[in-house]
């Protein structure tokens, strides 16, 4: 974790970055919902982020080892569900039976992921705004002394 005086800023910042990346990945899934052939010759496989809690390592003088310090992205995984088959004999990727293997992207699921990522992003942004407001009020009180 960064050596921040205010760990709540770092925690919310990590949440903002993670949810922004999640929204980018969902947008990529949606953009490739009809891509029946990639570089590997396979249909596009839906991608999803894997998150984990970030834990301080205790190297800083004021850090509490083992304390949560936000979220981190562990990696991107492909969704292993089967590719749906669609009958479309005129498609260039159709097999001898006229079936085309389509990407395993389901738009309703992607929209739910996009909405939850957006709401999580907004919650982290609101937490930062409240923290800023608390600091401003504290400074106003200290100036009044």
């Amino acid at each position: 974790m960064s050596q921040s005086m205010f760990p709540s800023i770092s925690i919310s910042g990590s949440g903002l970055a993670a949810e922004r990346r999640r929204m980018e990945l969902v947008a990529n899934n949606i953009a490739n919902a009809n891509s029946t052939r990639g570089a590997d010759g396979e249909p596009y496989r839906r991608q999803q982020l894997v998150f984990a809690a970030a834990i301080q390592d205790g190297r800083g003088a004021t850090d509490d080892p083992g304390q949560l310090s936000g979220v981190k992205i562990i990696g991107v995984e492909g969704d292993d569900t089967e590719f749906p088959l669609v009958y479309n004999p005129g498609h260039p990727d159709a097999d001898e039976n006229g079936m085309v293997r389509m990407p395993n992207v389901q738009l309703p699921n992607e929209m739910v992921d996009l909405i939850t990522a957006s709401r999580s992003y907004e919650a982290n942004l609101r937490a930062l705004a409240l923290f800023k407001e608390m600091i401003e009020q504290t400074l106003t009180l200290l100036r009044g002394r």
Side-chain angles (χ1 to χ4, degrees):
M1 180 180 148
S2 65
Q3 298 297 322
S4 173
M5 266 178 66
F6 305 109
S8 58
I9 292 174
S10 296
I11 291 170
S12 290
S14 72
L16 287 170
E19 294 302 339
R20 179 190 51 80
R21 178 67 178 105
R22 184 173 161 203
M23 286 187 275
E24 289 172 353
L25 199 61
V26 169
N28 189 48
N29 287 341
I30 292 170
N32 286 291
N34 293 314
S35 299
T36 57
R37 189 182 329 158
D40 60 356
E42 293 285 313
Y44 177 79
R45 186 166 296 280
R46 178 181 183 268
Q47 302 292 306
Q48 52 196 4
L49 281 182
V50 179
F51 295 122
I55 300 176
Q56 289 180 350
D57 59 8
R59 284 186 242 170
T62 60
D63 287 347
D64 178 16
Q67 182 177 353
L68 295 178
S69 61
V71 65
K72 63 181 176 179
I73 298 171
I74 294 177
V76 178
E77 288 184 352
D79 184 349
D80 290 335
T81 58
E82 292 292 321
F83 294 119
L85 294 173
V86 175
Y87 181 72
N88 187 355
H91 194 282
D93 293 328
D95 62 13
E96 62 279 349
N97 297 322
M99 302 302 284
V100 179
R101 291 186 335 152
M102 298 298 291
N104 61 353
V105 176
Q106 296 178 2
L107 291 180
N109 292 350
E110 297 304 318
M111 293 308 298
V112 168
D113 282 352
L114 187 59
I115 290 168
T116 56
S118 175
R119 297 255 168 92
S120 296
Y121 188 91
E122 289 170 5
N124 279 296
L125 200 55
R126 181 69 181 139
L128 280 174
L130 288 172
F131 182 74
K132 177 185 168 208
E133 187 178 315
M134 287 175 20
I135 294 296
E136 288 172 350
Q137 288 176 0
T138 301
L139 290 174
T140 301
L141 288 172
L142 290 174
R143 277 189 230 134
R145 287 182 130 183

